[in-house]
Amino acid sequence: LHGFASIWNADPELERERLEVVNFFKYYKISTQVAAHFTNAGYDTLETLATLNTEALVDIENFNNIKWLPGHKVRLQQIFSDVNTKVRIFQQNSAPVNMGYINVPPSRQGAYVMPRAIGSIPPGAANYGGYQQPSIAAPGSPTGYPGYPGFNRGR
């Protein structure tokens, strides 16, 4: 059973690296579907992506038995013509992957944050990326609702 469970419970470090690859492609406006073609072919870390060049794109298309749209192919060729620089720019402009939230570049941080599941908002984060935690105070309590005793009217 241990081997079977390991298939279903993927290694968190490998998942983080795959998510980083997906975010790399999203950063350069490439769809997650195209990113999946690279991870399916075994290019599931930024280090392995950095070994590719434009000639390798044909092999990835063939491995996945697909044909990319011409616009996608042009953008991929632009990325992989100088992939090391693109990886470096991505790493400098993006926060580390946090498995609880989708990784977004600093220029868009705070604009939205999508929790993986309900209840995954960090404790003590009353307003995290626009998410407002609901009040759990009972009416009439010191932190109650408007019109109830104890409500802070000075807000």
Side-chain angles (χ1 to χ4, degrees):
L1 278 181
H2 180 320
F4 184 74
S6 68
I7 293 171
W8 292 104
N9 302 320
D11 180 353
E13 180 64 21
L14 295 176
E15 283 299 310
R16 186 194 62 74
E17 289 177 345
R18 281 188 203 103
L19 184 58
E20 195 171 36
V21 168
V22 170
N23 287 326
F24 170 79
F25 283 107
K26 287 170 70 174
Y27 183 83
Y28 289 105
K29 309 287 189 232
I30 302 290
S31 74
T32 55
Q33 182 182 20
V34 173
H37 297 151
F38 285 83
T39 60
N40 289 343
Y43 298 100
D44 51 4
T45 67
L46 290 180
E47 290 76 26
T48 57
L49 280 183
T51 66
L52 296 176
N53 57 35
T54 55
E55 290 80 31
L57 297 176
V58 174
D59 294 335
I60 293 166
E61 271 185 311
N62 292 338
F63 179 84
N64 287 283
N65 199 26
I66 48 93
K67 188 82 172 148
W68 288 315
L69 295 172
H72 291 170
K73 197 161 195 170
V74 166
R75 284 186 291 178
L76 288 168
Q77 288 170 339
Q78 289 171 343
I79 290 169
F80 287 98
S81 66
D82 190 10
V83 69
N84 289 310
T85 300
K86 300 291 187 184
V87 167
R88 188 174 61 254
I89 290 169
F90 167 74
Q91 289 173 326
Q92 290 171 348
N93 293 320
S94 62
V97 173
N98 178 337
M99 288 305 291
Y101 298 96
I102 293 177
N103 187 22
V104 294
S107 62
R108 295 178 55 193
Q109 286 177 359
Y112 63 91
V113 174
M114 297 178 65
R116 281 190 124 189
I118 294 173
S120 65
I121 303 301
N127 186 341
Y128 190 76
Y131 174 83
Q132 186 69 39
Q133 285 183 317
S135 174
I136 57 171
S141 72
T143 58
Y145 303 103
Y148 287 94
F151 180 75
N152 184 353
R153 297 186 200 289
R155 284 185 164 173

